[in-house]
């Protein structure tokens, strides 16, 4: 009987100890919300000076050693991963946004897994990324990657942020491996003055992926922005599709994917070094 009482007392004391420990943890836990803010990262799709729209004809001139050629492009899909977002403060310290994998897109309805069982990804337009719980401070730059890092790219069963094989951005079998597509641009191109023996219109399917094409970009802001609970801020970027499609012999390369590493690299370089640029930053006091 004494042993049972002793065990009961020990159990009771253990519970009290655990509850006390939990209470202490709750009390000393910092209030992150009180010292944090948010910002919106915007990737505004453009075509030169015009707004980017699906199923709209855009003029494009291509020049090579044989002359200048007039094309028209119509797009039905623009999609790419923005990942591993970091904000850099005035001291050079980086705040890494947790599980930051975002799908920027403008696309028509997409069959998923070859449309098996009627699975479809809906038509969607998404250009904004809302980032919350940012430590209060002055920020001077934003860093991010285009694509998916190898940890998740090599294992589609892992989940983080918006990563999923059901959004039509994963290869079932790509270079004999499963992986994510980093960037996709599809549509049709018209050769305005094609020769009689050549087709005047053809579809094109361009994408790039693979671990060695995963790349990061840093955007330095035009001025430091204050991020805290009292401010509403936007980092406005532009993504110029016209600069992305500046590749060698586009008419002859209607399919760009795994077998054309050099052209995939050119798409990636165009996107990161020429197409994505800072438009402006805005900051206003939050209305109470």
């Amino acid at each position: 009987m004494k042993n049972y009482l002793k065990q009961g007392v020990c159990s009771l004391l253990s519970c009290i100890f655990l509850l006390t420990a939990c209470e202490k943890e709750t009390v000393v836990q910092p209030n992150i919300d009180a010292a944090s803010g948010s910002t919106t990262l915007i990737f505004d799709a453009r075509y030169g000076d015009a707004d980017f729209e699906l199923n709209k004809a855009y003029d494009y001139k291509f020049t090579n050693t044989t002359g200048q050629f007039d094309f028209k492009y119509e797009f039905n899909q623009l999609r790419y991963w923005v990942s591993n977002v970091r904000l850099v403060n005035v001291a050079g310290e980086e705040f890494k946004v947790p599980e930051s994998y975002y799908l920027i897109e403008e696309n028509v309805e997409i069959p998923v897994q070859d449309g098996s069982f009627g699975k479809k990804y809906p038509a969607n337009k998404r250009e904004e990324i809302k980032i919350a719980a940012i430590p209060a401070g002055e920020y001077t730059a934003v860093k991010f990657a285009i694509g998916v890092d190898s940890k998740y790219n090599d294992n589609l069963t892992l989940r983080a942020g918006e990563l999923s094989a059901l959004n039509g951005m994963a290869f079932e079998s790509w270079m004999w491996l499963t992986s994510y597509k980093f960037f996709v641009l599809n549509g049709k191109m018209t050769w305005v003055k094609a020769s009689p023996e050549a087709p005047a219109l053809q579809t094109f399917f361009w994408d790039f992926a693979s671990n060695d094409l995963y790349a990061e970009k840093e955007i330095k802001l035009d001025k430091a922005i204050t991020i805290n609970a009292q401010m509403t801020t936007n980092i406005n970027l532009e993504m110029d599709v016209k600069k992305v499609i500046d590749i060698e012999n586009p008419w002859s390369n209607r399919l760009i994917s795994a077998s054309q590493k050099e052209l995939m690299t050119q798409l990636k370089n165009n996107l990161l070094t020429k197409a994505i640029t800072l438009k402006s930053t805005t900051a206003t006091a939050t209305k109470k």
Side-chain angles (χ1 to χ4, degrees):
M1 184 70 176
K2 288 182 179 179
N3 288 336
Y4 287 126
L5 287 172
K6 184 185 287 186
Q7 291 174 0
V9 170
C10 289
S11 297
L12 180 60
L13 289 173
S14 297
C15 290
I16 293 172
F17 175 77
L18 288 171
L19 288 171
T20 304
C22 290
E23 274 186 25
K24 286 182 178 178
E25 286 183 1
T26 302
V27 170
V28 299
Q29 180 68 27
N31 186 352
I32 297 175
D33 289 340
S36 66
S38 63
T39 193
T40 300
L41 189 58
I42 300 172
F43 290 82
D44 181 23
R46 313 286 301 171
Y47 186 90
D49 295 330
D51 189 32
F52 177 83
E53 297 179 39
L54 298 181
N55 302 314
K56 175 181 177 179
Y58 294 98
D59 293 328
Y60 184 79
K61 293 185 182 296
F62 169 68
T63 303
N64 63 14
T65 55
T66 61
Q68 180 173 284
F69 305 91
D70 293 329
F71 290 91
K72 288 188 180 292
Y73 277 91
E74 292 185 44
F75 306 94
N76 60 35
Q77 191 175 149
L78 169 65
R79 314 180 81 197
Y80 55 99
W81 288 106
V82 172
S83 64
N84 293 310
V85 179
R86 289 163 291 158
L87 294 164
V88 185
N89 67 18
V90 290
E93 300 166 332
E94 296 184 359
F95 167 68
K96 184 176 180 179
V97 182
E99 296 197 359
S100 51
Y101 297 87
Y102 309 101
L103 184 55
I104 301 299
E105 61 182 346
E106 192 160 346
N107 58 274
V108 296
E109 188 177 73
I110 303 168
V112 177
Q113 295 177 335
D114 297 323
S116 58
F117 303 103
K119 292 193 292 290
K120 294 180 180 179
Y121 185 88
N124 189 38
K125 178 175 181 176
R126 193 272 187 94
E127 295 181 332
E128 297 187 2
I129 298 171
K130 181 78 171 181
I131 303 171
I134 303 170
E138 299 284 315
Y139 289 87
T140 59
V142 58
K143 296 180 178 181
F144 54 86
I146 298 297
V148 179
D149 52 278
S150 60
K151 175 182 177 180
Y152 294 98
N153 196 42
D154 291 342
N155 188 348
L156 299 189
T157 65
L158 297 178
R159 291 287 178 268
E162 298 172 7
L163 294 177
S164 170
L166 297 179
N167 52 32
M169 281 292 280
F171 293 94
E172 294 299 321
S173 178
W174 190 86
M175 291 185 71
W176 306 282
L177 296 169
T178 57
S179 64
Y180 286 100
K181 302 174 186 178
F182 292 178
F183 171 88
V184 173
L185 184 66
N186 297 336
K188 62 183 180 181
M189 61 177 80
T190 304
W191 191 349
V192 177
K193 296 180 181 179
S195 60
E197 65 275 10
L201 183 147
Q202 64 179 1
T203 56
F204 68 94
F205 303 89
W206 293 349
D207 55 61
F208 70 80
S210 83
N211 290 335
D212 56 352
L213 290 182
Y214 173 84
E216 296 184 337
K217 182 178 179 67
E218 179 178 7
I219 297 283
K220 294 186 181 299
L221 306 184
D222 53 348
K223 57 186 176 182
I225 57 171
T226 300
I227 296 179
N228 57 35
Q230 289 75 46
M231 299 297 293
T232 298
T233 64
N234 292 333
I235 301 173
N236 305 294
L237 307 179
E238 288 187 338
M239 203 288 274
D240 189 346
V241 176
K242 189 175 184 179
K243 293 178 179 177
V244 177
I245 64 177
D246 183 21
I247 67 165
E248 185 178 352
N249 297 322
W251 187 261
S252 302
N253 293 293
R254 58 180 295 269
L255 299 175
I256 300 177
S257 195
S259 62
Q260 294 176 295
K261 185 67 174 291
E262 186 175 330
L263 286 170
M264 286 200 308
T265 302
Q266 192 172 358
L267 283 178
K268 184 262 293 186
N269 290 340
N270 286 349
L271 180 63
L272 284 168
T273 64
K274 298 193 296 185
I276 300 177
T277 57
L278 177 70
K279 179 181 179 182
S280 65
T281 54
T282 59
T284 57
T286 303
K287 295 181 179 179
K288 296 183 178 180

